[in-house]
Amino acid sequence: MLFLPTKLSSILKAVVSIGFLFVIGCNNSKQLSGEGVVTDEHFERKTLYVDLGNAIKPVTHVASGALYGVVENIPTNIDALVAPLNPSSYVQPALSGEGAQQPYGSAIAVSKRLWKVTKAKVAIRLADVHPGWPYQWSGWNNWEKKVREVITAKQRSGRTNYYGYEIWNEPKGTWQAQNGNFLTTVWKPTYDLLRKLDPLSKIIGPSSAYYAESQMEEFLRFCKANDCMPDIVSWHQLQGSQTIANNITNYRALENRLQITPRLISINEYSHDNHIFEGAPGVAVPFIAKFERHGVDTANISWWFPALPGRLGSLITADGARNGGWWLYKWYGDMSGEMVATTPPNEASDGLDGFASLDMKNQRANIIVGGNFLGIADVKISGIPTSFADRIRVKVEHVTWSSKESPVKGTVVDSDSGYSIQSGTLTVPVKMTNPLWGYRISLSPEDSH
């Protein structure tokens, strides 16, 4: 990995504290000042391909959610801080407060805050009814009582902005062997209880801490044999973005081999493996791009510190100000129409990547670029609609980021000018001077302005 693996985190803290960031490569290093200035001799040149003529799915803002990203009173202003991001989902504890794992942020309360303000759906993490880590299992009778309580509260709310029930979280690490076999003690009987009491709701699992083929196969074989297959298959992606494509491809092959009808996929926690970089625009872009390209249904930025709740996955500072990550996800939230195909230099890396949308109704295309890369990104755009005519307006912007706690007032326009296009193609060079920043290219017909 290029974004400073965990073993280098102590070095990073020292380096960042004096205003410099070193990006460590396999055979070289590049130094950035706190202002993101780098000399030209350090620059590489790589190509990102964008095909506006190849729609892959409707825009749904797949990766705009967060784990415990909203609580009862934070963020204070849902309309100003949450709604502009167009979030797809949030993962919240089934219960919170005394006796539960989390002190705040219960799914039912958060569902109420989000209702009719955003399109976001709330995933209910049932395991969080237990205290402790690993969870302190207190037997089936107590578990069943609490699960029934959650189901009743959900149904009485009268709201429909629920994503589903996540039965457990990271079972390989949080389920204790002395409690019995996880699949027969918890998964199957809880699945049956949910199907009986709330049959139309979706069930989510196994919510593994990471993707491992052997663990997933064991789980799927059991579910198939015992009629308890989840509607949504989930795992965490906390080891960086470079394994996303391989993990999803492996999972789909496993479904095919076991003759399982394809499930929706939810990456219910994602982050760089060093939480310092959580929410940084340049780190987020490869995650989002890969989730969009590979058909993930929802994905949620992780949450790390109980003392700092309701930060939308580190997109706002501790005192509620927007940081650079918020503006990157605002760009994402602004996307409409169809997501279109993008091809990075290397799918199995956290390097240069991007995701793009085309809105034919409003005659707008947006391309968001980032990744662990310093240099010139030649963004080669094809399939530009004929309705854009021969002259288009191209605006290039960037957003800065130095830490989770650094407020950013807005984005910066680098250029805004007209371009002539030929045969529906155009190459836009983007000078990427900091691997933690994000960049956006906006295209529209020139005569529309």
Side-chain angles (χ1 to χ4, degrees):
M1 291 191 53
L2 296 181
F3 263 117
L4 286 170
T6 304
K7 65 183 179 181
L8 295 179
S9 60
S10 59
I11 298 174
L12 171 70
K13 291 175 183 177
V15 170
V16 170
S17 69
I18 61 173
F20 290 90
L21 171 66
F22 288 88
V23 182
I24 307 300
C26 296
N27 299 305
N28 58 12
S29 64
K30 301 169 184 175
Q31 181 173 309
L32 291 171
S33 79
E35 299 300 318
V37 178
V38 64
T39 56
D40 286 343
E41 61 264 25
H42 291 307
F43 272 81
E44 299 179 71
R45 195 159 201 139
K46 292 187 177 180
T47 302
L48 174 71
Y49 294 91
V50 179
D51 185 355
L52 297 180
N54 183 5
I56 59 173
K57 59 182 289 295
V59 171
T60 58
H61 311 104
V62 162
S64 57
L67 174 70
Y68 311 154
V70 176
V71 296
E72 287 82 353
N73 58 351
I74 307 174
T76 55
N77 191 329
I78 295 291
D79 291 282
L81 292 172
V82 181
L85 308 184
N86 272 313
S88 60
S89 65
Y90 288 100
V91 177
Q92 302 291 146
L95 298 175
S96 60
E98 185 177 357
Q101 203 224 36
Q102 301 299 331
Y104 25 59
S106 74
I108 310 305
V110 170
S111 161
K112 184 177 181 179
R113 291 198 74 198
L114 298 174
W115 180 241
K116 294 186 178 179
V117 181
T118 79
K119 66 179 182 182
K121 293 185 179 295
V122 176
I124 302 171
R125 179 166 281 181
L126 290 174
D128 283 354
V129 302
H130 292 302
W133 188 261
Y135 297 113
Q136 296 172 16
W137 173 253
S138 54
W140 172 260
N141 289 340
N142 186 55
W143 168 255
E144 181 184 6
K145 178 182 176 182
K146 290 183 176 180
V147 171
R148 285 177 176 270
E149 177 185 339
V150 172
I151 294 171
T152 298
K154 170 185 173 289
Q155 292 172 331
R156 286 179 176 172
S157 76
R159 293 183 294 275
T160 57
N161 61 336
Y162 297 98
Y163 188 55
Y165 296 100
E166 178 191 311
I167 291 179
W168 204 261
N169 176 44
E170 301 184 8
K172 288 294 182 182
T174 64
W175 176 258
Q176 304 297 289
Q178 62 265 29
N179 298 327
N181 179 281
F182 169 74
L183 294 172
T184 56
T185 303
V186 177
W187 180 265
K188 170 62 175 172
T190 306
Y191 181 100
D192 290 343
L193 181 65
L194 293 169
R195 284 286 184 253
K196 176 183 177 182
L197 299 180
D198 199 356
L200 298 181
S201 290
K202 290 182 169 60
I203 295 175
I204 307 164
S207 302
S208 307
Y210 53 89
Y211 182 84
E213 181 181 3
S214 60
Q215 292 179 18
M216 186 62 74
E217 181 170 357
E218 176 189 9
F219 173 76
L220 294 177
R221 285 188 179 277
F222 176 87
C223 291
K224 184 176 181 180
N226 292 276
D227 193 23
C228 54
M229 189 70 65
D231 304 288
I232 303 167
V233 168
S234 61
W235 65 85
H236 303 348
Q237 186 73 36
L238 302 176
Q239 301 78 36
S241 57
Q242 66 275 17
T243 60
I244 292 171
N246 182 69
N247 289 345
I248 294 173
T249 299
N250 181 278
Y251 170 72
R252 291 302 187 197
L254 191 57
E255 280 183 330
N256 186 59
R257 178 156 54 87
L258 298 179
Q259 298 184 325
I260 292 170
T261 304
R263 311 276 116 174
L264 297 175
I265 294 176
S266 177
I267 305 299
N268 43 15
E269 297 184 32
Y270 76 87
S271 177
H272 187 272
D273 65 357
N274 189 324
H275 67 78
I276 289 174
F277 298 119
E278 184 178 59
V283 174
V285 168
F287 279 99
I288 298 170
K290 291 170 174 58
F291 293 147
E292 290 284 357
R293 262 198 307 274
H294 294 280
V296 167
D297 189 56
T298 60
N300 296 272
I301 314 168
S302 284
W303 176 80
W304 296 85
F305 304 108
L308 297 171
R311 298 181 65 186
L312 309 177
S314 298
L315 302 185
I316 56 178
T317 66
D319 58 2
R322 300 171 179 89
N323 63 29
W326 188 91
W327 292 102
L328 184 283
Y329 280 84
K330 169 65 164 59
W331 281 346
Y332 187 24
D334 288 341
M335 286 182 160
S336 56
E338 301 284 330
M339 298 302 293
V340 299
T342 59
T343 305
N346 182 0
E347 185 72 273
S349 83
D350 63 355
L352 174 63
D353 211 334
F355 53 99
S357 66
L358 174 64
D359 185 338
M360 288 296 294
K361 179 180 179 181
N362 293 302
Q363 295 284 279
R364 296 288 185 274
N366 286 295
I367 303 162
I368 299 177
V369 181
N372 187 16
F373 174 71
L374 288 173
I376 304 297
D378 285 318
V379 181
K380 293 198 170 187
I381 307 165
S382 61
I384 298 173
T386 56
S387 60
F388 277 34
D390 296 329
R391 291 280 299 176
I392 63 172
R393 179 189 178 192
V394 179
K395 181 164 71 171
V396 179
E397 305 164 84
H398 74 267
V399 60
T400 64
W401 188 95
S402 56
S403 78
K404 300 178 186 180
E405 300 305 331
S406 300
V408 174
K409 292 184 178 180
T411 62
V412 179
V413 176
D414 298 315
S415 63
D416 189 352
S417 57
Y419 280 73
S420 295
I421 59 173
Q422 295 182 349
S423 303
T425 64
L426 176 70
T427 297
V428 179
V430 178
K431 190 172 185 178
M432 298 175 62
T433 58
N434 191 316
L436 300 178
W437 296 0
Y439 302 81
R440 178 169 75 165
I441 303 169
S442 303
L443 284 72
S444 57
E446 190 174 47
D447 61 9
S448 66
H449 300 276

